[in-house]
Amino acid sequence: MEHQPPKHLNSSSIPQEAFDWYDEYAHGDIDRRTFLSKLGTLGMAGLSLSVITGALIPNYALAEQVSFNDPDITASYLEFDSPAGYGKGRGYFVVPKGISQDNPAPVVLVAHENRGLNPYIKDVARRLAKEGFVAFAPDALFPIGGYPGNDDEGRAMQKTLDGSKIEKDFMSAAVMLKQHSLSSGKLGMVGFCYGGYLTNTLAAFMPNTLDAGVPFYGTPATSHLKQIRGPLMLHFAALDKRVNATWPDYERNLKENKVNYTAYTYPNANHGFHNDSTARYQKDSAELAWSRTIAFFKQHLAA
């Protein structure tokens, strides 16, 4: 299935400042009014403010690569206990055809951005299942009603939660998933943005549980870095100044502790380049990063 950004705009059609401002807006550094005001100063010929905004803000109708009706997978929801977190969690559980207790598969935990379990992250879980992995994508917003259907509200909701409890919920999800009856006992994790941070965090705090981690443009955990064993595959966007500023210190820690890691930086790519619902999407880089991710999981999660 071929994907195009909304309104047929791509990264080359929009000035870099717009992506930088969207990143500030998406991460709470500026509010929506300021974001729109800044966009209004660009004066791009032939492009209205509504068109530019529509290209930058996710349109999830464009993000489905694998249908929930795909005959090769079965998608459902699964709850899990999280006594150290919010008590109970819930996530999207996708199983490849043919997987059973007698024929288990490697499992992959999928961590969303800072706005809850949106349709893009669900599709990522389905893509993993199409590749033969049992995938589970928890919704950090479940304790307060779940992803509300749009990113602005989801982002506002997630800001009200205790970050340490979200981390504990994902740790509980990791333990549940690794021990699940359909699991081969090998656990991987992939996360995007805030989910990349969560992937780095579980790698630091649960080195004996996580068998392979793939953070996309994620910042590192702030402690327990010496516990990381890896293997890790880290994906970065060349234009992502905020996250990239944290990488030199993180990489130095990984090298000092002899962690098995591989890092890739994708040229001319913005934060969120894998998300095919916005103009930040960079098709070639996204597909390359994803193919590398799948190969990495198949290498390190094989029984």
Side-chain angles (χ1 to χ4, degrees), residues 78 93 95 104 107 134 175-185:
L78 184 66
F93 188 61
V95 180
V107 293
V134 173
V175 172
M176 178 280 297
L177 186 59
K178 187 163 186 170
Q179 296 176 350
H180 196 278
S181 61
L182 300 182
S183 168
S184 67

Side-chain angles (χ1 to χ4, degrees), residues 5 17 46 54 57 61 63 108 131 135 156-157 193 213 226 231-232 238-239 243 273:
E17 296 97 319
I57 294 175
V108 178
E131 295 288 345
M157 289 170 66
C193 184
K226 293 187 183 303
L232 295 175
L239 301 176
V243 170
F273 71 85

Side-chain angles (χ1 to χ4, degrees), residues 79-96:
E79 293 189 1
F80 59 95
D81 293 326
S82 181
Y86 277 100
K88 189 172 285 292
R90 183 177 187 258
Y92 190 61
F93 188 61
V94 194
V95 180

Side-chain angles (χ1 to χ4, degrees), residues 95-108:
V95 180
K97 183 178 181 179
I99 298 304
S100 66
Q101 293 184 32
D102 296 327
N103 183 36
V107 293
V108 178

